[in-house]
Structure formats: structure tokens, C-alpha cells
Amino acid sequence: MSKEDYIAVGRGKPFQEKRGDITITRTTAWSAPGCHNGCGVLLHTDKDGNLIKVEGDPDAPFNEGRLCLRCLAMPQTLNDPKRQLYPMKRAREDRGKDKWERISWEEAIDTIVENFLSIKKKYGAETVMFNQGTGRDITYYQTYMASAFGSPNVLGWQPGESCYLPRITGMAATVGGFFLADYSQQFVDRYNNPEWVVPKTFVVWGANFLVSNSDGNMGYWTLELMKRGSKLIVIDPKITWLSSRAEVVLRVRPGTDGALAMGMVNYLIENDLYDHDFVDKWCSGFEQLAERAKEYPLDKVAEICCLSEADIIRSVRMIAESKPTSMQWGLPMDCNNDEAVPAAFAVQCVFILTGNIDNPGGCIMPVDIQTYEGPGFSTELLTEEMRSKKLGIDKYKLYKYGSTAGSPDATLETLETGLPYKMHGAWIQSCNALTCCGADPDRLYNAMKDLDFIVMVDPYMTPTAMALADIHLPVCFFPERNGIALTTGAQRAAVMTKVCEPKGESRSDPWICYNVGKRLSPEAWPWENVEDMFSQFIEVTGYTFDELTNNAPIYPPFEYYKYEKGMLRPDGQPGFNTATGQIELYSTMFEFMDLDPLPYYEEPVPSPISTPDLFEKYPLILITGTRRFSFFHSEHRTVPLLRNVCQDPEIELHPEDAAAFGVAQGEWVWVRNYLGRAKRRVIVTKETLKGTVTTDHAWWYPEGDPDDWYGVREVNINNLLPFTCGKSGFGTNFKANLCTITKVEG
Ligand SMILES: Nc1nc2c(c(=O)[nH]1)N[C@H]1C(S)=C(S)[C@@H](COP(=O)(O)OP(=O)(O)OC[C@H]3O[C@@H](n4cnc5c(=O)[nH]c(N)nc54)[C@H](O)[C@@H]3O)O[C@H]1N2
Ligand SMILES: Nc1nc2c(c(=O)[nH]1)N[C@H]1C(S)=C(S)[C@@H](COP(=O)(O)OP(=O)(O)OC[C@H]3O[C@@H](n4cnc5c(=O)[nH]c(N)nc54)[C@H](O)[C@@H]3O)O[C@H]1N2
Ligand code: SF4
Ligand SMILES: [Mo]
């Protein structure tokens, strides 16, 4: 594809204009602080270069002028007195204590380079691991930096890489790519595009978009579909705003979505409701899938999922008979079961069998700039020998063939056992492991605490930094830096434009990776500055960074039914990018990796059924990680405008459960189970399914005592979650665990 093929929303118009003393810059929000989306924003700065207002850009097709609380609060966030402004160091023996000393960037980089190069020389580059958290633009630069250094061990700390990767892996196996709901987001004229069709039926499968705006999906898009006539099916144990307006609500028992999907597959096949043309022409493995699905008659499924058979039938019929049907799923698919991949596989089969793949108003396969014409900022620099040292690839083969990420579970074991080799260093960037993504934080802390050298790169001094780091590098916020925004499922490239000077000596992640990376492995970083690096990064589009600034966002052209036109396979043949060229309902990829080639249901562990003894002691099903409008994970608790919306960690109980446990609205309780406990304030609400509690995650008190790691140990709900994953290595149980509740006395 060449430059002219992209549709430039900015059309070369200047990206800045003056209104009196105010400068207004048309740009993109992303990170820091964190988010998945990259909305179009108009940043207003005064004559002294202070950010005074953030407005949604009405011309940005992605968000059409909408913004959420966190971007609106950005002027206050920039002036947050709790930000880290200078590089800091601490003596190794003082880890865990608030004994930091300010240093220069020069000293910080010298110290890092000296330590990492010495570890590399003594023990090998693979003994330094590179940790990252959720969806920010560090992914490319950090992975590149690690690969240039020679380490294949780049990973997040969420067990089973259980955010999106299980779903992505499932899609790679079946359709050989990636699909998401067709909200018209791929068109710059959105709902007015003549090719786009409103989905008649829309399935919200375990997602709460109105709060989470998750994974490149704006919550209000679902409302736009509803305004245009889409009827909703919501699969969620909790009553959300969307389920209160849905046609059918399936309040599924947490962790049983795989069974529900297999029941739907069986019903579609037995009642001849599937799309014969599509299946005959484009799918392989139908017979085997049909045979497997027979194990899931609806009476059995209804019992497993605690649903009525009639409601399931109504949903399947809507999906099959009111086409096009679209589906967008959420995080619970990845982390309500240690083994997440088979359920993700099963859910997809429902939409594949009904022919809702890459059709208008169905599930579209995006033309992703990053994926299809990748710029090489990944693991390309690793030699085969280095790749073979990636931790966990023998145990979890999907990490060998299917993912650039490393296995957190295997890495944790290595840290604990020293096998197959001892680890020595860590570079932790945008990852609050002991507060947010890491399960069983005590275990994780004990595994990491004796590493020789640890660097933390974060805008804040977090509990993880306080517990573990030797050097802390301060990161600036998006209005203070340049960058390229290629966000999740984005199908567009945009820029982040610097409109104010970074506070103190904070710097951007690309700047930090570039400056440290260049010293660690100079030959890999030939660029004069980060903007040159950005130009190389987007070279495939034909734009330089400066050109993109005036033209952004740019969209690749989009076509439906790419599989018919030979647009999905590298060989240009019609079909899908799988080994057989067809959608694989029986996955040859899984077979090759010694995994079950067909979807199936596995009961979560623990659960009322798999562990009745534990259920007797811990009789409530525990869903963790309820998103709050004002926080992105562990962030934003220092910003008054946002913290005022939500002061403390909360747990939601059904009124009958609250009565049974003798707790009332606003009271403090300990949530406890076999592994640990965490403090919460009670909210009594009928939105929560009886017998199930829901609670938020990632709590700490930045206003608290740094020597006590800001109180994280008292409020971290992950104290109750074991660090585990299933056979495939993808998935964990954050959303279907067990607990009990006791009052906090005194
Ligand atoms: N119990 C429970 N735990 C969960 C979840 C759940 O549902 N339940 N959800 C899980 C999920 S899905 C995810 S993705 C993980 C997320 O886990 P993390 O990625 O660890 O979470 P965050 O708090 O968003 O970010 C980590 C750190 O990055 C810093 N940061 C923000 N922006 C930037 C940036 O641009 N650069 C740098 N260098 N640092 C930045 C923040 O200050 C923060 O300290 O949490 C998981 N944890
Ligand atoms: N404001 C804010 N937005 C965020 C984040 C944040 O921290 N704050 N985090 C971001 C990240 S990294 C992610 S991954 C996304 C996650 O955002 P989503 O993908 O929307 O997922 P969740 O909000 O975890 O859960 C969505 C719904 O699933 C339901 N649910 C729980 N367990 C089950 C189950 O077993 N089955 C089914 N079917 N439903 C279940 C819950 O009741 C909830 O209503 O949000 C992103 N957006
Ligand atoms: S989703 Fe919210 S926080 Fe993220 S860029 Fe858009 S407005 Fe900002
Ligand atoms: Mo996530």
C-alpha cells in the first residue's frame, strides 16, 4: 500500500491554531496516563505553555468529540504534586524503604548501562527481563530494546497473559487473524458510510464498554448502534446499564461461558440454524466440531451456567435469525478460567457458524497497520539462539510459535527455582506488578526481591517501585511529548504532539528506551533523535512523523469479505491465513501444539463444583476488577477530580447476601479466602447476582506511608488470587474465584 491509499482525516491542514492567547492543538491522547484508545483531542494551551483545557475533537472519527473523565481531568493530572520529576536511586540494601536520592539522567543511564552490561557479560542477556503492563506505546520500543540487547524475555506480570491474548490466540487458530465488532469504526464517515450496515443483533459478551472503553472500543458506539435499531443480548452476571436495556440478558454463572458457547454451537447445528454456504465454502473441521458439540445439550448447559434453557434458545435464535449479528467480548473471557483459550474458541464458533465474519454489520477483520505491514519494532533482532532461551516455550508452546510475549507463569517459576537459568536483572516499565497485574503479590515479591538490579520506569513512585527498584526513571504525560499512536484494534495511525514542556526532568518512554537502548546496543539505534525513529516506525505508510502530524489520523482503506478477494493470505489466494487456508473449526495449530484441537468447557478452579470443600468455607463467587469511570487500573488516585468520584475500594453484594453476612451499606469488611485477604467498603445492590460479589482492583493509597508501600498490602484484592494458568499457558482466574466476608472490627 502506498501513501496515497491512506485516508488522511487531517488532510494536511495545520494541526495548530491560535485563538487570542490560546493555542489549540489537534492531536491524540494516549499514554501516560494509560488507556487503550487514543481519542482525538484538542489541547488548549495558554501563552505560557500551560495546558488549560482538553476538548474532544469532533472531527476525529474514532471518538467524534467524546471524551471520558480521565482526559477531561488532564490539566489537573499534569500538575499533580505526586508525580515523580527526577531520576532517583536507592542502595540495594534499602529496597523497600523510602530512602531515595535524586540523581542526574547521566548518572541514571550510566548506572543502568553498567549493571545490565555486566549482567549480560557474566550470565547472558536473557537473564535480564523486560516487563510491561497494558496497552501503551512502550510495547514496541521496549520489545525492540530488549531484542537489541539480546533478551527474549519480555513479559507482563498478569498470570496466563490473561488480557486479550487468550482471545487473540483463539482467533489466530480459527480465522488466522483477528476480528472485532463492526461499529463502522473503520470508516472515516462512520455510520454514513454506504457499505456499512447496522447489526440487527449485537452480543455484548462479558464486557462493560460504557465504563471500560476497552481495547479500541468506545462505549458510546454501542449506544449509537442501539439508536439505529440494534437489539442487544448481554451475557453478564451483573446488571449493567446495557443489560438493563437489552432484549435478552444471560446472567451466566461466572467462568462458565465456554459451556454456554458450546451449548449454542450444538443448538445451531442440531436445529440446522447455521449458515451452510459459509461453512461449506470457508470452514474445515465442521464434522468434528458437530461431534464435540453433542456433549453440550442445552439442559446440561443451562444447569452448568445457572441459566434458563428458554433464554439460551431465544439468544441463539436471535443470533442466527436476525442477521447481521455482531459481537464484542471483554476481559472475563481471558481471566475467568485458568484455561481461557477453549472458551474463546467456542464463542467464536457461534459467530463463524452463523457466517458473521468480515461481513457488513458482523465481526470484521481489520486492516491493521501494525500487523499487516509491521515496521519491525518487535523481536526481529533476536537470533534463533536467543529465541530458544525464551522462558516457558517448552511447557507452553503457544509462547514459542504464537506470541512475542513471554510466559509470566514460567518466568515466575524460573525466578523461584533458578531453572533453566538464574535471572539477574529487571527493567519494569509501565507495570505495577505488586498492585495491579500480578496475582499473589507476596509470592511475586519474594521471587523478585533478590534480583541483582531492578529499574522502574513510571510517572509515579508506585508500591512496586517502592518495594523493588534500585533506579526510578520519571515518565512525562502525553501532552508533554511526541509519539505515534497505533492503539489496540486501531486500524489507524495518529500522533501524540508535545504541547507543553515536561515537568521537572520527566521524559517520554520512547526517549528513555532510545537513550538507554542506544548505550546498551549502539548499532541498533541509528536515528538522530526519537522523531527520526518515529518516521522509521511508520515508514510503511509513506509518511514521516512531521507529515503525519498535519495529516493524522490516517486510515487504511477497508473492504469487507477480504477472504473472498485474496486479501488475508500472504500468497494472495482467497481464504484465511491458516495452515489449511480455511477457518479451522478443528485447529491444526492447536493439534501441532499438543492442545485439544476442538473447543470444550472446563469447570473453573476453584468453584462450587470443582472444589466443594473450599466452597463450603468460601461460599461467595468472587469477581474482581470492576472498572471505575475515574481510574485506569492503579492510576489516577492522586488526582482530586478523579479520586472524588471514588474514594475507597468497594465490594458489591446482593441485599440477601449482605443480610446473611450481617453487613450493611458503607461498612468495612475483609474479603478473605484460602490465599489471603483485602479490605473493602460494602455497597449493597441488586445489580449483583445473588451468591456473587464484585469488587474493584489495583488499589493503593498514594497519600499513605511510602515505607508501608502505600498501604497496598491491606487493600490489594490480588492477595486472594493465585498465580496460575492452564495447560495452554493463556488464562487465569480473576473473575470466578471464591471468598467469604467478615466485618472489620473496631
Ligand atoms: N484482580 C484483578 N486484577 C487485575 C485485573 C482484574 O480485572 N482483576 N485486570 C488486569 C488487566 S486486564 C490488566 S491489563 C492489568 C494492568 O496492569 P498494569 O499495566 O500493571 O496496570 P496500570 O496500573 O494501568 O499501569 C501500571 C503502571 O504504569 C504506569 N504508567 C501509566 N502510563 C504509563 C506510560 O505511558 N509509561 C510508563 N512508563 N508508565 C506508565 C502507571 O503509573 C502504573 O504504575 O491489570 C490486571 N489486574
Ligand atoms: N475506567 C477504566 N477503563 C478501563 C480499565 C480501567 O482500569 N479503568 N482497564 C482497561 C483494561 S486493561 C481492560 S482489559 C478492559 C476490561 O474491560 P471489559 O472488557 O469491559 O471487562 P470488565 O470490565 O472486566 O468486565 C466486564 C463485565 O463482565 C462481567 N463478568 C464478570 N465475570 C464474568 C464471566 O465469567 N462471564 C461473563 N460473561 N461476564 C462476566 C462483569 O460483571 C462486567 O460487567 O478495561 C479497560 N478500560
Ligand atoms: S478512552 Fe478516555 S482516557 Fe482514553 S483517550 Fe479516550 S477520552 Fe482519553
Ligand atoms: Mo487489560
Side-chain angles (χ1 to χ4, degrees), residues 36 70 134-135 163-164 167 204-209 211-215 235-240 250 252-257 329-336 623-634 694 697 735-736:
H36 288 158
R70 303 188 304 280
T134 188
C163 176
Y164 224 164
R167 277 172 286 164
V204 179
W205 202 312
N208 194 10
F209 317 125
V211 182
S212 61
N213 294 312
S214 48
D215 304 311
I235 304 172
D236 193 318
K238 193 173 173 180
I239 298 292
T240 64
L250 298 177
V252 63
R253 172 164 70 91
T256 62
D257 300 83
W329 44 6
L331 171 67
M333 290 308 311
D334 305 315
C335 60
N336 64 12
I623 300 181
T624 69
T626 305
R627 270 49 182 166
R628 303 288 183 220
F629 282 109
S630 49
F631 305 137
F632 196 81
H633 295 295
S634 66
T694 58
H697 70 300
K735 309 258 184 204

Side-chain angles (χ1 to χ4, degrees), residues 158-171 179 203-209 215 235-237 252-262 327-351 599-602 623-624 728 730-736:
Q158 193 162 331
E161 277 292 354
S162 54
C163 176
Y164 224 164
L165 277 176
R167 277 172 286 164
I168 288 175
T169 308
M171 291 186 277
F179 64 72
V203 184
V204 179
W205 202 312
N208 194 10
F209 317 125
D215 304 311
I235 304 172
D236 193 318
V252 63
R253 172 164 70 91
T256 62
D257 300 83
L260 175 60
M262 287 308 285
M327 182 277 292
Q328 189 61 30
W329 44 6
L331 171 67
M333 290 308 311
D334 305 315
C335 60
N336 64 12
N337 202 313
D338 281 349
E339 186 52 276
V341 174
F345 190 174
V347 170
Q348 291 171 67
C349 287
V350 174
F351 301 90
Y600 62 96
Y601 168 66
E602 198 169 289
I623 300 181
T624 69
S728 71
F730 286 89
T732 198
N733 187 349
F734 278 6
K735 309 258 184 204

Side-chain angles (χ1 to χ4, degrees), residues 705-725:
D705 178 3
D707 283 315
D708 182 36
W709 306 351
Y710 308 99
V712 71
R713 284 170 285 199
E714 194 172 88
V715 286
N716 192 348
I717 198 69
N718 295 8
N719 293 339
L720 285 80
L721 304 175
F723 206 113
T724 49
C725 69

Side-chain angles (χ1 to χ4, degrees), residues 260-276:
L260 175 60
M262 287 308 285
M264 288 182 167
V265 166
N266 186 42
Y267 189 86
L268 286 171
I269 298 174
E270 295 219 317
N271 294 278
D272 203 12
L273 287 168
Y274 65 96
D275 183 334
H276 284 260

Side-chain angles (χ1 to χ4, degrees), residues 17-24 45-47 52:
E17 67 172 274
K18 286 260 182 207
R19 271 188 225 155
D21 281 347
I22 309 294
T23 305
I24 300 173
T45 39
D46 68 13
K47 61 179 184 341
I52 53 168

Side-chain angles (χ1 to χ4, degrees), residues 207-384:
N208 194 10
F209 317 125
L210 292 192
V211 182
S212 61
N213 294 312
S214 48
D215 304 311
N217 175 342
M218 288 300 276
Y220 82 89
W221 294 351
T222 306
L223 308 187
E224 293 296 331
L225 299 192
M226 291 165 77
K227 283 193 221 161
R228 289 164 175 80
S230 298
K231 298 275 186 269
L232 297 194
I233 297 169
V234 176
I235 304 172
D236 193 318
K238 193 173 173 180
I239 298 292
T240 64
W241 191 95
L242 288 177
S243 47
S244 74
R245 272 88 176 158
E247 208 64 14
V248 190
V249 182
L250 298 177
R251 301 188 77 182
V252 63
R253 172 164 70 91
T256 62
D257 300 83
L260 175 60
M262 287 308 285
M264 288 182 167
V265 166
N266 186 42
Y267 189 86
L268 286 171
I269 298 174
E270 295 219 317
N271 294 278
D272 203 12
L273 287 168
Y274 65 96
D275 183 334
H276 284 260
D277 284 350
F278 185 78
V279 171
D280 291 348
K281 197 154 178 206
W282 301 109
C283 302
S284 60
F286 177 77
E287 299 302 326
Q288 290 102 315
L289 177 68
E291 202 49 40
R292 172 65 60 84
K294 282 187 190 150
E295 294 169 26
Y296 300 88
L298 278 196
D299 54 340
K300 176 176 161 190
V301 164
E303 195 186 326
I304 295 174
C305 304
C306 301
L307 294 170
S308 89
E309 235 181 288
D311 284 346
I312 306 178
I313 293 174
R314 224 178 126 205
S315 318
V316 196
R317 290 208 160 263
M318 266 176 81
I319 292 171
E321 292 169 350
S322 286
K323 276 171 72 176
T325 300
S326 195
M327 182 277 292
Q328 189 61 30
W329 44 6
L331 171 67
M333 290 308 311
D334 305 315
C335 60
N336 64 12
N337 202 313
D338 281 349
E339 186 52 276
V341 174
F345 190 174
V347 170
Q348 291 171 67
C349 287
V350 174
F351 301 90
I352 294 167
L353 290 179
T354 50
N356 284 297
I357 298 294
D358 221 20
N359 55 328
C363 301
I364 51 164
M365 302 191 65
V367 181
D368 201 311
I369 293 176
Q370 210 173 320
T371 317
Y372 288 154
E373 297 182 276
F377 278 73
S378 186
T379 55
E380 289 81 359
L381 295 179
L382 287 176
T383 61
E384 273 314 306

